[in-house]
Amino acid sequence: MTQERDNKPRRCDLLVRADAIVTQDGERRVLTDAAVAVTDGLVAEVGDYANLAAAYEPEQTLDLSGKMLLPGLVNGHTHLPMTLQRGLADDLPLMEWLQNHIWPVEAKLNETLLASGAKLGCAELIRTGCTTFLNGYFHEQITGQAVSDCGLRAVLGEGFFAFPSPFFATAEDCWNTVRALDERYRDHPRLRSAVTPHAVYTVEPDQLAESFELAESLDIPWQTHLAESPMETALCLEKHGMRPVEILRSLNLLSPRTTLHHCVDVTDEEIALLADRGVNVVHNPASNLKLCSGLSPVQKLLDAGVNVGLGTDGAASNNQLNMFRDMGLAALVGKVSHGDASAVSAQTALDMATRNSARCLGWPELGRIEAGCPADMCALDLASANLMPMFNPVSHAVYAATGLEVCMTMTAGEVLYLYGDFRTLDMTTLREEATECAKWARCAAGRGKNTK
Ligand SMILES: [Zn+2]
């Protein structure tokens, strides 16, 4: 509620004006000729431009006339440094892709490469209006450093596999790394951690249970890949005599702390169980389509009451980290998989990429432009040829935008990108690093220097 004011303008750090603001607040208000006042990294107020211009005395102003403002998008599932393997192996099914192309290269990674990979990922997220992501990879303090330096926000998950891994000799080593990561970022304003066992087919049941206890003791989210493809279900049935959801149920790991990535191969009974236990699911349409994993029953999950966020998955299986593309795909594929053109509407897809993903991260105040919430926002340039004319900003964000119309990205009130200028990343150096990374990746994949 707006409080009664005396006539004296209040101070704020920044006043942002835009033609339209898609607030994603509880009522999904879309405001025209509107403004956002920002103070101490938080939204102080959002409303009519004329009212806010009279009420505030800003230190700085940002005039985004001709633009629409959206909450910064929240990527619910990615493996940020996998930009290193973008386009290295395409057109393969999940298991063959993982076992023969991804894991052998990952085994040879070093910290310098991971740092470059993470920075490349940050650049793409910033460029396409994503301000927060839920990660799962190795040496997460390196991604943490990149995120801390470039101004983004993230929940970092140190990945764990049971088979001999180049990263951890034992499960306890991984849990200790998670504890250290949590300790390191406990007071960081933009970084948090999550417990991240890879999947039910790569981690033993007792280790899954142990990892969940760790998440409970640290009071942080617990995330894993689950039911990604019928092949995974077949593996689980062969090894444990149970389907993937049943394995987690038998271990008592289905809870509101749980975020499951994919959930493609789930039955109606399993969907009801996920809803009943308050589990979060992240949908990754581009990755599911590219690896031919199947179509997730997203509308059924939503109808049952499951919180479904949206993610890109890694750049090796997408091959983008562009949430605008995944929003569009979620809406399009959702209609086909549900056999109904009204399924996964534009508003639903935008909710998934903002508010719902934020809940998947255990950070529900993100994904909206609302007083008291972090000032994480992005702007689309409405002068782009593909965005004229505009009848419905939400429709444009989901169906018409490609992500490259993003002209401003801001996290915690700090502008990270404006009109082609990356304010926190040196793109010239990053391009040079990317060239070196490509040479390494070709060698690591056993393709030699001169092979395409
Ligand atoms: Zn993944």
Side-chain angles (χ1 to χ4, degrees):
M1 296 290 287
T2 308
Q3 289 178 341
E4 285 288 321
R5 301 189 178 111
D6 50 32
N7 290 328
K8 205 170 142 216
R10 280 171 287 164
R11 195 199 72 79
C12 72
D13 294 338
L14 178 67
L15 190 69
V16 187
R17 178 184 192 175
D19 279 17
I21 299 182
V22 178
T23 63
Q24 287 296 94
D25 65 6
E27 296 157 43
R28 305 298 190 275
R29 285 182 309 152
V30 177
L31 310 175
T32 51
D33 196 9
V36 185
V38 176
T39 294
D40 297 332
L42 301 175
V43 172
E45 192 171 345
V46 53
D48 288 340
Y49 171 70
N51 290 347
L52 266 66
Y56 286 91
E57 207 162 63
E59 294 277 321
Q60 282 186 298
T61 56
L62 180 58
D63 185 355
L64 297 177
S65 296
K67 323 286 186 288
M68 84 156 120
L69 209 53
L70 297 157
L73 302 180
V74 181
N75 189 339
H77 179 55
T78 193
H79 313 285
L80 201 70
M82 288 187 86
T83 49
L84 295 171
Q85 291 144 293
R86 189 201 313 264
L88 192 62
D90 298 315
D91 310 324
L92 297 164
L94 175 65
M95 292 301 171
E96 187 185 340
W97 175 77
L98 274 176
Q99 290 167 0
N100 300 335
H101 299 274
I102 296 302
W103 290 338
V105 174
E106 281 181 346
K108 298 172 192 165
L109 282 170
N110 63 43
E111 299 199 357
T112 309
L113 291 157
L114 282 168
S116 297
K119 280 186 280 182
L120 288 166
C122 288
E124 187 176 0
L125 294 178
I126 290 171
R127 180 67 186 84
T128 52
C130 176
T131 49
T132 305
F133 63 100
L134 175 51
N135 204 47
Y137 213 57
F138 310 105
H139 298 299
E140 283 287 272
Q141 77 283 359
I142 294 171
T143 296
Q145 190 62 53
V147 173
S148 186
D149 292 346
C150 78
L152 284 173
R153 203 184 284 280
V155 177
L156 304 168
E158 186 73 32
F160 175 73
F161 292 82
F163 50 71
S165 128
F167 306 102
F168 300 108
T170 67
E172 196 52 38
D173 286 350
C174 180
W175 312 153
N176 284 334
T177 301
V178 175
R179 286 187 191 99
L181 204 64
D182 179 68
E183 174 83 28
R184 183 177 185 138
Y185 295 127
R186 196 126 282 244
D187 298 321
H188 195 291
R190 291 179 286 100
L191 288 171
R192 295 183 181 181
S193 55
V195 177
T196 311
H198 174 257
V200 290
Y201 60 94
T202 51
V203 178
E204 296 304 323
D206 58 329
Q207 295 167 333
L208 288 168
E210 265 180 36
S211 72
F212 196 85
E213 278 174 30
L214 176 66
E216 286 194 313
S217 72
L218 296 173
D219 195 18
I220 58 178
W222 184 86
Q223 57 165 340
T224 195
H225 296 88
L226 195 90
E228 184 168 354
S229 70
M231 177 80 86
E232 173 183 333
T233 304
L235 273 174
C236 289
L237 285 169
E238 190 185 316
K239 194 172 170 196
H240 301 290
M242 287 185 272
R243 294 172 52 86
V245 171
E246 178 63 13
I247 293 174
L248 294 192
R249 193 204 59 77
S250 72
L251 296 166
N252 210 16
L253 306 186
L254 298 174
S255 88
R257 186 183 300 287
T258 307
T259 291
L260 303 177
H261 303 302
H262 300 295
C263 289
V264 166
D265 189 22
V266 285
T267 64
D268 290 352
E269 293 72 29
E270 288 167 344
I271 289 171
L273 181 64
L274 296 176
D276 181 57
R277 300 294 170 87
V279 170
N280 303 286
V281 168
V282 178
H283 178 41
N284 300 271
S287 173
N288 294 159
L289 289 169
K290 183 164 181 257
L291 297 170
C292 201
S293 302
L295 304 177
S296 174
V298 170
Q299 190 61 55
K300 273 191 182 179
L301 285 156
L302 290 164
D303 289 345
V306 177
N307 176 52
V308 184
L310 189 71
T312 58
D313 212 344
S317 66
N318 184 307
N319 295 358
Q320 308 180 18
L321 300 177
N322 178 352
M323 286 289 287
F324 280 92
R325 186 172 77 143
D326 273 278
M327 268 201 294
L329 285 174
L332 299 181
V333 172
K335 296 171 197 323
V336 172
S337 67
H338 204 63
D340 177 355
S342 70
V344 191
S345 66
Q347 183 63 61
T348 300
L350 184 61
D351 284 359
M352 289 167 67
T354 54
R355 301 167 58 99
N356 297 10
S357 275
R359 278 177 64 194
C360 293
L361 273 68
W363 213 329
E365 61 271 39
L366 302 177
R368 62 189 71 193
I369 302 175
E370 203 169 5
C373 294
D376 293 6
M377 300 180 261
C378 69
L380 293 176
D381 187 349
L382 298 175
S384 306
N386 55 320
L387 299 186
M388 295 187 287
M390 181 168 76
F391 303 105
N392 178 340
V394 173
S395 165
H396 265 22
V398 173
Y399 294 121
T402 65
L404 295 180
E405 305 82 357
V406 169
C407 57
M408 191 285 301
T409 304
M410 169 191 295
T411 305
E414 185 192 359
V415 174
L416 309 182
Y417 176 83
L418 187 64
Y419 303 132
D421 178 28
F422 287 85
R423 300 227 170 140
T424 55
L425 286 165
D426 177 350
M427 293 305 285
T428 306
T429 309
L430 199 49
R431 267 196 296 276
E432 288 164 8
E433 286 181 36
T435 306
E436 290 305 308
C437 290
K439 284 185 201 159
W440 168 83
R442 280 198 195 97
C443 288
R447 296 189 200 167
K449 279 185 228 163
N450 301 318
T451 319
K452 274 189 195 163

Tab-separated table of all heavy atoms in Angstrom, residues 77-79 198 225 228 261-262 284 287 313-314 317, ligand 1:
chain	number	residue	atom	x	y	z
A	77	HIS	N	17.768	-23.812	-14.337
A	77	HIS	CA	18.674	-24.969	-14.468
A	77	HIS	C	19.717	-24.726	-15.539
A	77	HIS	O	19.397	-24.598	-16.722
A	77	HIS	CB	17.891	-26.229	-14.828
A	77	HIS	CG	18.750	-27.446	-15.014
A	77	HIS	ND1	19.629	-27.885	-14.043
A	77	HIS	CD2	18.886	-28.319	-16.050
A	77	HIS	CE1	20.259	-28.980	-14.473
A	77	HIS	NE2	19.825	-29.255	-15.697
A	78	THR	N	20.964	-24.681	-15.115
A	78	THR	CA	22.035	-24.634	-16.099
A	78	THR	C	23.328	-25.184	-15.510
A	78	THR	O	23.402	-25.517	-14.318
A	78	THR	CB	22.239	-23.202	-16.658
A	78	THR	OG1	23.082	-23.262	-17.811
A	78	THR	CG2	22.864	-22.272	-15.627
A	79	HIS	N	24.299	-25.353	-16.392
A	79	HIS	CA	25.650	-25.775	-16.013
A	79	HIS	C	26.543	-24.749	-16.699
A	79	HIS	O	26.993	-24.958	-17.825
A	79	HIS	CB	25.936	-27.180	-16.526
A	79	HIS	CG	24.819	-28.160	-16.247
A	79	HIS	ND1	24.602	-28.674	-14.996
A	79	HIS	CD2	23.852	-28.700	-17.040
A	79	HIS	CE1	23.550	-29.487	-15.033
A	79	HIS	NE2	23.075	-29.518	-16.276
A	198	HIS	N	23.979	-35.525	-8.997
A	198	HIS	CA	23.665	-35.416	-10.424
A	198	HIS	C	22.312	-36.018	-10.804
A	198	HIS	O	21.494	-35.353	-11.425
A	198	HIS	CB	24.791	-36.046	-11.260
A	198	HIS	CG	24.477	-36.109	-12.721
A	198	HIS	ND1	24.082	-37.273	-13.344
A	198	HIS	CD2	24.431	-35.156	-13.674
A	198	HIS	CE1	23.840	-37.025	-14.627
A	198	HIS	NE2	24.056	-35.739	-14.847
A	225	HIS	N	18.809	-33.946	-11.346
A	225	HIS	CA	18.106	-34.269	-12.592
A	225	HIS	C	17.188	-35.448	-12.304
A	225	HIS	O	17.600	-36.380	-11.623
A	225	HIS	CB	19.101	-34.711	-13.678
A	225	HIS	CG	20.081	-33.655	-14.093
A	225	HIS	ND1	21.282	-33.459	-13.458
A	225	HIS	CD2	20.042	-32.767	-15.106
A	225	HIS	CE1	21.943	-32.478	-14.073
A	225	HIS	NE2	21.213	-32.031	-15.068
A	228	GLU	N	14.510	-37.672	-16.799
A	228	GLU	CA	14.820	-36.843	-17.971
A	228	GLU	C	14.410	-37.510	-19.278
A	228	GLU	O	14.106	-36.836	-20.253
A	228	GLU	CB	16.328	-36.514	-17.976
A	228	GLU	CG	16.738	-35.571	-19.098
A	228	GLU	CD	18.143	-35.010	-18.944
A	228	GLU	OE1	18.779	-35.263	-17.900
A	228	GLU	OE2	18.604	-34.323	-19.873
A	261	HIS	N	15.028	-31.363	-12.038
A	261	HIS	CA	15.217	-30.861	-13.389
A	261	HIS	C	14.720	-31.875	-14.418
A	261	HIS	O	15.113	-33.034	-14.355
A	261	HIS	CB	16.693	-30.532	-13.616
A	261	HIS	CG	17.196	-29.539	-12.600
A	261	HIS	ND1	16.621	-28.300	-12.454
A	261	HIS	CD2	18.156	-29.630	-11.653
A	261	HIS	CE1	17.240	-27.658	-11.478
A	261	HIS	NE2	18.174	-28.444	-10.972
A	262	HIS	N	13.872	-31.428	-15.296
A	262	HIS	CA	13.317	-32.156	-16.443
A	262	HIS	C	11.930	-32.755	-16.179
A	262	HIS	O	10.948	-32.246	-16.676
A	262	HIS	CB	14.286	-33.217	-16.990
A	262	HIS	CG	15.570	-32.606	-17.458
A	262	HIS	ND1	15.617	-31.742	-18.526
A	262	HIS	CD2	16.842	-32.680	-16.978
A	262	HIS	CE1	16.857	-31.318	-18.694
A	262	HIS	NE2	17.628	-31.863	-17.771
A	284	ASN	N	12.957	-27.795	-19.167
A	284	ASN	CA	14.064	-27.374	-20.035
A	284	ASN	C	13.742	-27.751	-21.478
A	284	ASN	O	14.289	-28.714	-22.028
A	284	ASN	CB	15.359	-28.092	-19.606
A	284	ASN	CG	15.729	-27.783	-18.175
A	284	ASN	OD1	16.443	-26.821	-17.902
A	284	ASN	ND2	15.234	-28.580	-17.250
A	287	SER	N	16.611	-28.205	-24.380
A	287	SER	CA	17.471	-29.360	-24.123
A	287	SER	C	16.710	-30.667	-24.356
A	287	SER	O	17.217	-31.602	-24.978
A	287	SER	CB	18.000	-29.282	-22.688
A	287	SER	OG	18.702	-30.432	-22.342
A	313	ASP	N	19.189	-25.455	-19.219
A	313	ASP	CA	20.162	-26.539	-19.155
A	313	ASP	C	21.493	-25.972	-19.671
A	313	ASP	O	21.614	-24.775	-19.926
A	313	ASP	CB	19.711	-27.766	-19.959
A	313	ASP	CG	20.219	-29.078	-19.336
A	313	ASP	OD1	21.140	-29.030	-18.501
A	313	ASP	OD2	19.684	-30.143	-19.694
A	314	GLY	N	22.524	-26.795	-19.818
A	314	GLY	CA	23.834	-26.274	-20.212
A	314	GLY	C	23.881	-25.888	-21.682
A	314	GLY	O	23.048	-26.320	-22.486
A	317	SER	N	23.834	-28.619	-24.480
A	317	SER	CA	22.627	-29.349	-24.904
A	317	SER	C	21.500	-28.407	-25.304
A	317	SER	O	20.364	-28.839	-25.436
A	317	SER	CB	22.145	-30.288	-23.794
A	317	SER	OG	21.690	-29.569	-22.669
B	1	ZN	ZN	21.220	-30.516	-16.653
